[in-house]
Amino acid sequence: MPRDSDGPIVASARRSYEYAVHVCHDEQGAVDRLCSEIGGRRVALITDDSVALLHARRLADRLTDAGLTVAMTSFPAGENSKSLATAARLLDWLAGSALARRDVVLAVGGGVVIDTVGWVASAYMRGVPYINVPTTLLAHVDAALGGKVAVDHASAKNLIGSFYQPSAVVSNVGYLRTLDRRHLRAGLAEAIKKGVIASPELFELIEQRHADLLSADPVATARLVHGASVIKCRLIAKDPYEEDLRRPLNFGHTVGHAVETVAGYGHVLHGEAVAYGMACASRIARSRGLLAPALLRRITGLLREVGLPVVISDLPVRVDPVETLNALGQIRKIRDGHIRFVLPVELGETVVADDVTDEEIHRALIAEADAPGGPDD
């Protein structure tokens, strides 16, 4: 035994993790990929009540027909279900199931399902494998990727969560044909975000094909989902656990999360809140001389052309700007006194500002500056 027992002991727990993202055109392709990823393990399929009727029951039957053992449960659809109460019920269900530690949880649904089920999978038996099967456009291009899993708290969105990577993502763009226009628009918001922060080509694709994308054209949506997935995977690979909080992927989310909190979870879709948040951040960038007027109009013009909110009166419910500022104060408290705004400079280029004042934010929240022909010439 060494004599010196006072010095620190260094423990190491590094882990490298990779998983495949499969973009499929139809359910048969998705079933084939799922069977390959699952192998012979048992499956606990978790979804919401709406997706159960549309897709999940049929998917469970097809997996069963392929020889897999599948148990399934669902919970009420909507942001209100993204809660500790729902998570506790799912943990109870898993505890009563035959699922073993190497079996697979299948999260089939939109962002609420994927975030909630991913967090449950991270907690059950200290972590069981899970696979994401997104059914909304927002989940295809964003929520299903990156392993950020969480449930909401009354004081802040996604307050209770972790980083827990899926074993795979199997995206079937055919599911998007059952979405209404509002949810397709909300998904496009996250794709537009990725275009602004990292890919002029993706931004131009949405400009040119937004009518086809809002009609869930399978060729256009497959191209969009593939391109957006490549961008997100590339960005999160640089910092999968958000050790650097100055992340371009947070573009639009600072104001967006505050709006969701003030409006009451579920009344404003996540993509709608992010779109408005992007418009606000772009106005702040313009007021600081970082963003050219023409590019401000181009960003807000595309958001408006798609049918997304760019001014506070566009939001589907009344949101008070003062209450939104107060909610940002809560976010500031959670983040060690700092609010970081991702501000666009050019398509594919952003900066992060830690010094945005409440006055700047308030001006951006209440501005009526718009698309082409607006007052920022």
Side-chain angles (χ1 to χ4, degrees):
M1 291 287 290
R3 290 184 179 181
D4 183 6
S5 60
D6 295 329
I9 300 167
V10 178
S12 178
R14 295 183 181 274
R15 187 176 186 182
S16 177
Y17 201 87
E18 292 184 352
Y19 56 92
V21 179
H22 305 284
V23 179
C24 307
H25 291 264
D26 55 36
E27 192 169 67
Q28 184 57 55
V31 168
D32 292 343
R33 292 296 188 181
L34 284 168
C35 289
S36 176
E37 292 286 351
I38 293 166
R41 294 174 290 175
R42 284 172 293 192
V43 176
L45 191 158
I46 305 176
T47 186
D48 67 36
D49 296 341
S50 296
V51 176
L53 294 173
L54 287 168
H55 309 299
R57 288 178 183 166
R58 185 179 64 252
L59 179 61
D61 288 342
R62 297 191 69 168
L63 292 174
T64 301
D65 291 343
L68 297 174
T69 300
V70 182
M72 176 177 156
T73 191
S74 64
F75 56 83
E79 189 78 23
N80 287 334
S81 287
K82 190 177 167 182
S83 66
L84 276 173
T86 299
R89 288 194 294 272
L90 294 176
L91 288 166
D92 286 342
W93 179 76
L94 287 172
S97 74
L99 196 77
R101 192 170 187 183
R102 303 304 175 197
D103 291 331
V104 180
V105 171
L106 211 58
V108 183
V112 169
V113 170
I114 284 169
D115 283 7
T116 305
V117 175
W119 188 71
V120 167
S122 76
Y124 188 65
M125 293 186 179
R126 295 192 178 98
V128 293
Y130 77 106
I131 295 173
N132 285 329
V133 181
T135 60
T136 65
L137 183 55
L138 189 145
H140 273 76
V141 302
D142 192 67
L145 308 164
K148 286 177 67 173
V149 295
V151 294
D152 297 336
H153 187 272
S155 62
K157 185 177 171 68
N158 296 328
L159 188 64
I160 304 164
S162 59
F163 293 93
Y164 190 63
Q165 304 297 334
S167 299
V169 178
V170 178
S171 295
N172 171 18
V173 298
Y175 287 154
L176 300 178
R177 291 195 296 270
T178 63
L179 289 182
D180 60 31
R181 282 287 182 110
R182 185 183 178 194
H183 283 84
L184 285 166
R185 289 195 296 263
L188 274 181
E190 284 286 356
I192 291 169
K193 178 192 79 174
K194 291 171 179 63
V196 173
I197 66 175
S199 176
E201 296 80 12
L202 184 66
F203 191 91
E204 290 165 7
L205 170 67
I206 300 168
E207 283 183 316
Q208 295 165 6
R209 301 293 301 275
H210 64 266
D212 293 331
L213 293 167
L214 289 173
S215 299
D217 174 81
V219 174
T221 52
R223 187 176 168 193
L224 178 83
V225 169
H226 190 278
S229 298
V230 167
I231 292 166
K232 181 158 188 185
C233 289
R234 186 176 72 231
L235 290 172
I236 61 178
K238 298 177 182 177
D239 183 20
Y241 298 104
E242 290 194 3
E243 293 175 1
D244 179 5
L245 295 177
R246 305 170 72 86
R247 289 164 53 91
L249 280 167
N250 287 331
F251 176 49
H253 283 64
T254 304
V255 166
H257 281 172
V259 165
E260 287 180 274
T261 301
V262 169
Y265 299 134
H267 296 293
V268 179
L269 296 179
H270 178 67
E272 294 169 339
V274 168
Y276 175 60
M278 287 191 286
C280 290
S282 298
R283 291 187 192 108
I284 292 169
R286 171 66 196 117
S287 70
R288 290 185 164 209
L290 299 171
L291 184 68
L295 188 49
L296 169 66
R297 293 195 300 269
R298 190 176 172 191
I299 293 169
T300 59
L302 179 57
L303 292 170
R304 176 155 276 169
E305 185 73 20
V306 168
L308 288 162
V310 297
V311 297
I312 201 163
S313 58
D314 290 340
L315 292 167
V317 297
R318 182 183 176 277
V319 173
D320 185 270
V322 174
E323 291 180 10
T324 305
L325 272 175
N326 291 338
L328 284 166
Q330 176 67 20
I331 294 171
R332 181 185 285 118
K333 193 161 53 176
I334 293 168
R335 298 181 182 174
D336 294 328
H338 295 286
I339 294 182
R340 296 174 180 87
F341 271 82
V342 178
L343 304 178
V345 177
E346 297 282 352
L347 290 181
E349 182 183 352
T350 60
V351 297
V352 178
D354 305 272
D355 60 346
V356 178
T357 66
D358 284 356
E359 183 180 354
E360 287 178 282
I361 299 169
H362 188 262
R363 282 203 306 268
L365 291 173
I366 65 172
E368 293 294 330
D370 277 306
D376 291 291
D377 290 307

